[in-house]
Amino acid sequence: AARGTALLGAARLRERAGAVEAATELYRQLLALWPDDAFARESLIDLLRAQERWAELVAERRAEAAALPDGPAARRALREAAWVLELRLGDLPTAAAVHDDWATRFPEDRAALEGLARCRAQAGDPIGALAARQALAELAPAPDTRLFLARALERAGQPEEAAALYRALMASEEPT
């Protein structure tokens, strides 16, 4: 306990003094000793974000999500990991894998499915994008989700199905 307390104190002092790299390493050591310390984990994540150490931030957020029960904190961790992978690192296949984990854990979460469809499409996986769009259309059968589904059907090489859905959309009274 004394070692953990000393590491925490040293990390906080280094952080306040602006020695963020030293503080980052001390928080890592503290988490190795006390893996469930929420303050140390949040501090480490904040420092990684501030230093734009994106790959390390993704690894921490994914590990955090894996250790958490399903709930808002796990959702936030997965959302940030996916966002960093997609927009900061441009790693679309890994971003799609995180979105897939997120959608598996939270099947009613439209943001997870939207991200999964977007990443799979941008990574050149039209069949994977179609599967995500189909799940979205089942979850929320609004005109906009059906329109995106029709586009995904087209891109996946299913023009007849896409045309049928386009016709159904044009015949519907709902605005798109």
Side-chain angles (χ1 to χ4, degrees):
R3 177 167 162 65
T5 303
L7 283 169
L8 177 60
R12 293 184 73 189
L13 285 172
R14 298 292 187 297
E15 189 176 357
R16 278 192 230 127
V20 293
E21 288 185 19
T24 300
E25 182 52 37
L26 289 167
Y27 282 123
R28 283 191 197 284
Q29 291 176 30
L30 180 59
L31 285 168
L33 190 62
W34 293 341
D36 296 329
D37 188 303
F39 178 82
R41 181 155 315 279
E42 286 300 317
S43 296
L44 174 62
I45 287 168
D46 288 343
L47 288 173
L48 292 173
R49 200 180 290 123
Q51 296 172 76
E52 297 184 2
R53 290 165 69 173
W54 303 124
E56 294 172 65
L57 176 62
V58 167
E60 285 297 326
R61 294 303 265 171
R62 289 183 84 180
E64 178 186 13
L68 289 169
D70 291 350
R75 181 175 294 166
R76 279 190 303 274
L78 290 166
R79 181 178 57 230
E80 183 173 18
W83 181 85
V84 169
L85 283 161
E86 183 180 353
L87 298 176
R88 292 290 183 170
L89 297 175
D91 184 350
L92 297 173
T94 308
V98 173
H99 280 293
D100 194 35
D101 292 344
W102 177 7
T104 300
R105 286 182 71 176
F106 303 96
E108 304 294 314
D109 195 320
R110 287 185 59 181
L113 291 168
E114 286 283 353
L116 180 58
R118 187 177 56 248
C119 287
R120 288 214 171 132
Q122 290 175 2
D125 177 10
I127 302 303
L130 175 59
R133 290 286 173 205
Q134 286 170 326
L136 262 168
E138 288 173 20
L139 183 64
D144 61 331
T145 57
R146 294 190 334 235
L147 177 63
F148 283 119
L149 174 58
R151 288 181 183 163
L153 284 162
E154 252 185 292
R155 291 181 181 129
Q158 299 178 31
E160 293 82 21
E161 293 86 348
L165 189 51
Y166 284 132
R167 282 191 290 278
L169 281 165
M170 289 188 302
S172 76
E173 298 287 323
E174 299 178 65
T176 54

